[in-house]
Amino acid sequence: MSRSVRTRPAGSGRHLSEAYDTALLDLDGVVYAGGDAIAHAVDSLAAARDGGMHLAYVTNNALRTPDAVAGHLTELGIAADAADVITSAQAVARLIAEQLPSGARVLVIGGEGLRVALRERGLEPVESAEDDPAAVVQGYGGPELPWGRFAEACYAIARGVPWYASNTDLTIPGDRGIAPGNGAAVEVVRIATGAEPQVAGKPLPPMHRETILRTGARRPLVVGDRLDTDIEGAFNGEVDSLLVLTGVTDAPQLLAAPPRHRPTYVDADLRGLLTGQPEVTGDADGGFGCGGWTATAGEERLELAGEGEALDGLRALCAAAWTAGGKEACGLDAGKALARLGL
Ligand SMILES: [Mg+2]
């Protein structure tokens, strides 16, 4: 990757919704959590859209169809139709269609989102290893997916049929805790077969390519809550990104991010689309300033002095930590500095 190492969050004098033509928004942890909208998401998205920003929703979840996702967004009060939703099922269907003849049979281990995406690419979903499939595709099938579906995948893969996975997210965070995601299901088949799937979802290039092809974005901004999918996907696609702190990433993880996981911008929630972003000034010798804060890297810990908005303090700390870490993750203790910010 030729991209230079990011050592501080970027500033923007313009509102992000004006500086970028299209927001490529992750869903869970950004727009909603479980079934409910995240605070400020509905109003912020409406304002960004009214201001002329194109909004697209990009999800690694292959279970639901774009229609179903758009319906959910509409229920929450977010105007969206199926064409505004891009799923890893669509990305993996394109990948398969590029490698197999039109009309090829594909054994589906997963849900309706995969079947619809395969048909859209002229492929024929089948249900059994006895149906002579030319490929196996595995996507999240929901909690009711029977164990026997994995056996069908294994029978076909053992005969040399190529194997594809929509995504490899190991976990799905929910109200009651952490549930196994499609990546865990892929591991079951990998262990049983010794084979390796081709994977489409974030942070890999097929998903980013699908998103750009479908949106026509010229100056996209990836908006996500997860460093190893959303932000790394933006890094791999060489586009800018905004991390929001409404999902799975907390401040210590952000400070300890290696270069491919460092976002261009960080903000509390989607209101960040409607503002500029403050510059982080200074350097390692004199300290990094943002708002009323100054952050420095000591021998063992990050230090923070001053006062002001918590997010500005975090931005200054990002610069201190990322500069100290360089091409690696910063291992300095940030506990005391973050306690001052209430983060
Ligand atoms: Mg997410």
Side-chain angles (χ1 to χ4, degrees):
M1 192 59 55
S2 60
R3 226 178 183 198
S4 62
V5 172
R6 173 169 297 288
T7 55
R8 67 180 73 188
S12 173
R14 299 168 68 196
H15 292 187
L16 296 185
S17 60
E18 292 163 1
Y20 297 89
D21 70 345
T22 306
L24 307 177
L25 294 137
D26 179 51
L27 287 169
D28 227 326
V30 174
V31 176
Y32 52 63
D36 301 325
I38 282 174
H40 308 295
V42 174
D43 291 349
S44 300
L45 292 173
R49 189 176 152 118
D50 288 349
M53 190 180 215
H54 178 210
L55 305 180
Y57 301 92
V58 184
T59 178
N60 261 1
N61 190 323
L63 178 62
R64 295 194 294 172
T65 62
D67 257 326
V69 174
H72 182 192
L73 289 169
T74 303
E75 271 174 32
L76 295 176
I78 297 164
D81 58 34
D84 300 322
V85 179
I86 298 99
T87 74
S88 65
Q90 294 173 323
V92 78
R94 189 186 298 271
L95 193 62
I96 296 168
E98 286 170 349
Q99 297 178 12
L100 294 181
S102 177
R105 296 174 162 201
V106 180
L107 173 58
V108 176
I109 315 300
E112 191 57 17
L114 271 181
R115 293 185 184 86
V116 168
L118 290 169
R119 287 192 204 100
E120 189 188 57
R121 289 273 153 248
L123 299 162
E124 183 188 345
V126 297
E127 302 303 321
S128 166
E130 304 311 307
D131 292 332
D132 198 23
V136 176
V137 65
Q138 191 171 4
Y140 183 60
E144 308 305 326
L145 189 76
W147 186 253
R149 302 303 299 149
F150 301 139
E152 293 301 322
C154 291
Y155 301 148
I157 292 165
R159 295 202 297 258
V161 173
W163 175 30
Y164 299 82
S166 61
N167 67 303
T168 51
D169 298 45
L170 286 172
T171 57
I172 300 183
D175 294 343
R176 293 175 56 205
I178 304 294
N182 192 51
V186 165
E187 286 304 311
V188 169
V189 175
R190 191 203 306 269
I191 289 164
T193 60
E196 281 294 324
Q198 292 186 56
V199 183
K202 291 184 265 187
L204 296 169
M207 186 69 183
H208 186 70
R209 188 167 60 110
E210 186 74 19
T211 303
I212 299 301
L213 282 170
R214 285 183 183 263
T215 61
R218 301 177 65 96
R219 190 157 164 69
L221 178 68
V222 168
V223 185
D225 71 312
R226 222 183 151 106
L227 301 181
D228 63 358
T229 52
D230 306 316
I231 305 306
E232 185 173 339
F235 177 87
N236 289 339
E238 301 193 17
V239 302
D240 288 349
S241 60
L242 166 66
L243 179 80
V244 289
L245 298 176
T246 45
V248 298
T249 301
D250 60 20
Q253 290 169 332
L254 175 63
L255 296 177
R260 68 184 185 283
H261 289 173
R262 293 173 190 163
T264 314
Y265 311 105
V266 56
D267 220 317
D269 54 53
L270 287 177
R271 286 176 295 179
L273 287 174
L274 306 172
T275 63
Q277 291 282 315
E279 294 284 346
V280 178
T281 58
D283 57 30
D285 292 335
F288 295 94
C290 189
W293 301 99
T294 302
T296 50
E299 288 286 304
E300 292 178 358
R301 62 172 53 94
L302 297 170
E303 308 281 356
L304 188 65
E307 59 185 347
E309 298 286 331
L311 253 293
D312 289 341
L314 180 60
R315 293 177 180 114
L317 284 169
C318 282
W322 297 351
T323 300
K327 291 182 179 174
E328 310 292 333
C330 174
L332 296 171
D333 180 6
K336 217 173 130 192
L338 288 172
R340 285 204 63 188
L341 300 174
L343 290 171

